[in-house]
Amino acid sequence: MSAPTTVAPPPARPELVRVAIEDDATPLVRQLGRTLGEAIRSGHAHDELSRAGGTVAVRSHDTPQAATITLGATIEVRGGVLAEPDATVVVDLHGRFAPTEEPSGDAVLAAGVLHALRPPLPPWREAAARFWQETRPIPGIPDVLVVHVLGPDGPEEGRFGEGATTYELTGPADLLAGVFTGADDFLAALDAGVQVKGTLSQLSVMTAASWKARFDV
Amino acid sequence: MSETTATRTTPCKAVRLEATNHEGSLLGKNVSPAKFEAGKDSGFAFADILFAIDLNNEIVLGDAFPDWRGNIYDIAMVPDLSTLVEWRPGLDSVIGDYWLKDGSPVPICPRNLVKRLVARLAEHGYTATAAVEIEATLFEESVQEARSKGYRDLTPLGGSTGATYHLARSSDWVAYMEAVVERLDQVGITWEAWTDEAAPGQTELNLAPTDPVRLGDNWARTRQVMREVGNALGHTVSFMAKPTAGFGQGAHINLSLQRDGVNQYFAEDGPSELMRHSVGGLLATMAGATSIVMPQITSYRRLVDLTGPPTTISWGVNNKTAAVRAITGHPKYSRLEYRLPGADVNPYLTLAAVLAGVLAGIEGRIEPPAQVTDMAWCLPDDGSVERIPDTMSKAGAALAADPLLRAHLGDEFVDFWVASRRWEWMEFHTKGGDPYAELSAWESTRYFEFP
């Protein structure tokens, strides 16, 4: 009997873990919860997030922001670091959770959480479509989102929605995908190459939309 | 201007236009007498962005602007000439309100909000009389020294021991307060009492009862006076809700309603029906009003049982541990003391929140829950008495969901205010504030000098 030459289908995905954040959560807790939730939904870092236990402190490298992730059947995210964690990671919250120093404690646990917090971004067009869809309920949100992308293969454009009011965003594909998914901060992105065309009021509303994407508020 | 001109000793060289922004800072500009004469009826142009600049000079974002706001439009500040005073030789001062081009009030103008609610009370036949107890902490250092120290580790004026009512405070502390009340006398603000308060360097200054709009004017100006006197004497004063990690400071509002000059809160046998309904409205709106009367991040650090401020949505006759204290049984002095506000509030918005609660109670004939006759701190968590929202985000959510406050303050104001607090919350958490510290440096920098 020869060895099979076809690739076996992947095993059925075991029961997914879920993410729970505390009530009245801080922006960092919300950001972590959203990112981990996305990682679970996309299947990113499934093994790392399925660990039976372990606590990881996540600290900002330049502000007092801190939170604790507790792995388990439910991944819990709470503000602050109230007990000695199994591992600590210090990250750049404006750099998509990039570590700024060597993690301390359980190196495997820390590496797993860092990996989970840095899922690959979807293509900008997919991210923009989802952003547009999910921000419809925000009062004052423009009807149409026009995206001009300065990509390596030349300019691209996307238009999402129909209606009388329009907002335009221009910038590098990766940065725009970061803004649309919440991986990047919108107002910080304005200093990093994203340009906008719209009213001041629309900028204000787009800020709210970006918070929805980044913090789910 | 006639009265001021008649009594002045020095020709007026400038008029200072004054009004608070949403944060409660007294903003304005100085104009020449000629410019003032030319614009005193039509108003003076101010950029609408004054209602969207935070205490760190960032533009507040995160909400849809109303139609009257554009890519930074002008709105008109129209002075209320009844407030014109000679502030000091050569400088007159006048308080105004913000108006739109069509002659309607700016819906989020704090002073106009109070005027609207006073008018609403008048429709019911009532006039309100209100007073405030202003708490503030004085420090030996000049404001320049305070800045250089990041507003931390300052030296309380008058000694470092906590005390209340002590008359033995050192002469530097006494001299400061005497200079303050002398200035108040000069600019026509009636005060009733001042004393040292519970914390090192802390004072309580009571302004006399008057109508709510005038009280807002006097309150805003008193804070200005206290700062100016501090500058003149080389000291510093702060109205932060907690200028140091240890002690908080509040601003209790005392309120009564009259009809034809007769106190309607008085009844022979306890609270009158009107007082009960007022309490009912104040308690029904207290969770949402918390967002307004505890406006800053530091405000919520005051909410500690047994330290002074109320922590529960509660009331009681002559109960200073409750959020609303009812003073009853006196034909003249029967009143409600609303004990929740911090010293860091916008005076007008706080008065508006209180009046809105009272109006809601009167119009809805809201009966209050049973009064708390025990201590209203440290109560069992059995659901019988709700706790006051203890974070800015919780309070903002309560305000957003409050139909009574929306009805009386207006959807535009409520939405604007909730968005502004969400911005403040986001700035604190993401730009250096530390919720796990007793008092973070971010807060000292942001709130020590303003509002």
Side-chain angles (χ1 to χ4, degrees):
Chain A
M1 190 174 178
S2 60
T5 55
T6 55
V7 176
R13 185 179 292 179
E15 189 65 27
L16 291 178
V17 294
R18 57 182 287 271
V19 178
I21 64 171
E22 64 187 334
D23 289 342
D24 197 34
T26 64
L28 174 58
V29 169
R30 290 175 169 278
Q31 189 180 351
L32 288 168
R34 180 197 56 76
T35 305
L36 293 173
E38 282 296 316
I40 289 169
R41 274 188 288 277
S42 66
H44 175 75
H46 177 265
D47 291 344
E48 293 91 332
L49 293 178
S50 298
R51 252 181 84 137
T55 57
V56 180
V58 180
R59 293 188 180 277
S60 162
H61 81 297
D62 62 352
T63 71
Q65 294 181 89
T68 302
I69 299 171
T70 303
L71 299 182
T74 296
I75 299 173
E76 296 180 350
V77 188
R78 294 185 168 277
V81 181
L82 305 181
E84 185 65 28
D86 297 316
T88 298
V89 297
V90 180
V91 297
D92 181 355
L93 298 178
H94 285 289
R96 301 180 184 176
F97 294 109
T100 59
E101 57 186 72
E102 280 297 311
S104 61
D106 185 331
V108 174
L109 181 62
V113 166
L114 282 173
H115 180 63
L117 290 174
R118 310 197 72 201
L121 296 186
W124 72 265
R125 196 177 294 275
E126 180 184 328
R130 194 164 132 193
F131 175 85
W132 181 85
Q133 187 65 42
E134 292 184 352
T135 57
R136 288 306 87 204
I138 295 175
I141 193 78
D143 300 324
V144 182
L145 177 66
V146 177
V147 183
H148 305 282
V149 170
L150 312 171
D153 303 324
E156 297 179 79
E157 184 177 308
R159 186 180 180 88
F160 306 88
E162 297 292 334
T165 57
T166 298
Y167 201 73
E168 296 187 31
L169 286 164
T170 302
D174 182 67
L175 186 54
L176 285 173
V179 169
F180 293 141
T181 57
D184 291 319
D185 181 89
F186 173 53
L187 295 176
L190 296 180
D191 290 331
V194 168
Q195 297 171 315
V196 297
K197 188 170 187 301
T199 66
L200 183 56
S201 179
Q202 287 178 326
L203 176 75
S204 184
V205 173
M206 288 299 289
T207 300
S210 73
W211 287 345
K212 172 71 176 167
R214 189 168 170 82
F215 304 112
D216 193 21
V217 293
Chain B
M1 202 160 186
S2 55
E3 226 176 274
T4 299
T5 305
T7 57
R8 75 169 65 258
T9 55
T10 305
C12 175
K13 296 175 182 173
V15 181
R16 190 170 69 197
L17 310 171
E18 303 169 342
T20 66
N21 66 353
H22 57 300
E23 302 282 8
S25 302
L26 198 55
L27 305 186
K29 53 174 108 170
N30 295 277
V31 298
S32 68
K35 177 74 173 176
F36 182 71
E37 283 300 318
K40 67 181 184 184
D41 297 322
S42 57
F44 299 88
F46 280 75
D48 67 24
I49 203 79
L50 72 89
F51 285 118
I53 297 287
D54 71 14
L55 291 169
N56 190 40
N57 213 33
E58 298 279 352
I59 298 178
V60 175
L61 301 171
D63 62 333
F65 294 176
D67 290 342
W68 58 269
R69 283 187 63 195
N71 296 314
I72 310 183
Y73 291 162
D74 273 341
I75 52 179
M77 197 271 247
V78 180
D80 177 345
L81 297 183
S82 72
T83 68
L84 187 67
V85 295
E86 184 182 25
W87 189 256
R88 57 177 163 76
L91 177 68
D92 285 359
S93 155
V94 68
I95 291 177
D97 313 295
Y98 291 105
W99 299 83
L100 301 177
K101 285 178 180 169
D102 65 3
S104 61
V106 169
I108 60 176
C109 168
R111 193 169 187 267
N112 268 327
L113 271 179
V114 179
K115 289 166 75 173
R116 193 177 82 203
L117 293 164
V118 167
R120 181 78 178 159
L121 273 172
E123 291 172 15
H124 292 283
Y126 300 119
T127 56
T129 299
V132 63
E133 305 163 13
I134 302 172
E135 292 181 350
T137 300
L138 320 173
F139 296 97
E140 280 188 11
E141 289 83 353
S142 69
V143 72
Q144 289 81 6
E145 292 168 326
R147 289 168 186 157
S148 71
K149 298 175 75 169
Y151 310 102
R152 316 278 284 190
D153 301 319
L154 302 179
T155 314
L157 189 67
S160 294
T161 53
T164 304
Y165 301 135
H166 281 263
L167 297 176
R169 282 276 180 226
S170 54
S171 59
D172 48 4
W173 192 91
V174 174
Y176 172 87
M177 288 308 300
E178 288 182 344
V180 165
V181 295
E182 183 177 346
R183 288 286 296 124
L184 295 182
D185 290 340
Q186 289 168 355
V187 298
I189 295 173
T190 307
W191 58 277
E192 287 192 328
W194 59 268
T195 183
D196 82 318
E197 249 293 344
Q202 195 174 60
T203 186
E204 178 179 308
L205 172 59
N206 301 338
L207 299 188
T210 184
D211 73 87
V213 176
R214 180 54 61 109
L215 180 68
D217 296 344
N218 289 348
W219 187 352
R221 278 177 160 167
T222 296
R223 295 204 301 209
Q224 179 74 11
V225 164
M226 293 179 77
R227 289 190 170 106
E228 291 184 4
V229 170
N231 288 336
L233 298 179
H235 300 312
T236 314
V237 60
S238 180
F239 301 93
M240 274 185 80
K242 257 193 167 183
T244 66
F247 294 92
Q249 36 200 22
H252 303 160
I253 305 290
N254 286 271
L255 179 83
S256 60
L257 296 183
Q258 290 76 37
R259 189 197 294 272
D260 301 326
V262 177
N263 188 340
Q264 299 297 305
Y265 279 171
F266 169 68
E268 292 286 352
D269 53 352
S272 68
E273 180 183 68
L274 188 72
M275 180 185 265
R276 284 203 325 272
H277 291 158
S278 298
V279 172
L282 288 171
L283 265 58
T285 57
M286 186 165 285
T290 300
S291 178
I292 298 167
V293 306
M294 300 186 66
Q296 309 298 357
I297 291 291
T298 312
S299 310
Y300 295 86
R301 298 194 188 277
R302 288 176 57 230
L303 290 179
V304 180
D305 285 317
L306 295 170
T307 64
T311 54
T312 53
I313 297 176
S314 56
W315 77 287
V317 174
N318 207 22
N319 187 343
K320 284 193 175 185
T321 67
V324 176
R325 177 171 70 119
I327 296 95
T328 61
H330 193 288
K332 184 175 180 184
Y333 299 124
S334 291
R335 65 189 187 277
L336 294 174
E337 183 188 21
Y338 190 82
R339 297 175 56 80
L340 186 57
D344 52 350
V345 295
N346 180 311
Y348 301 104
L349 293 183
T350 294
L351 290 163
V354 172
L355 294 175
V358 166
L359 272 162
I362 294 171
E363 293 179 353
R365 300 182 64 77
I366 300 174
E367 286 292 341
Q371 66 166 310
V372 174
T373 53
D374 297 317
M375 183 179 75
W377 293 313
C378 304
L379 287 171
D381 187 18
D382 59 5
S384 59
V385 177
E386 188 182 345
R387 287 188 72 86
I388 289 165
D390 60 0
T391 66
M392 177 176 279
S393 39
K394 288 181 189 173
L399 176 58
D402 190 322
L404 298 174
L405 289 175
R406 281 191 173 277
H408 288 284
L409 298 176
D411 285 332
E412 188 172 326
F413 169 77
V414 169
D415 291 339
F416 157 80
W417 182 260
V418 169
S420 79
R421 294 312 90 187
R422 187 167 69 158
W423 171 268
E424 190 72 12
W425 173 83
M426 193 70 80
E427 290 288 286
F428 169 72
H429 282 287
T430 63
K431 294 191 177 174
D434 186 352
Y436 308 105
E438 278 191 291
L439 181 69
S440 61
W442 185 94
E443 294 162 80
S444 298
T445 301
R446 195 174 184 91
Y447 303 135
F448 188 93
E449 288 196 51
F450 305 123

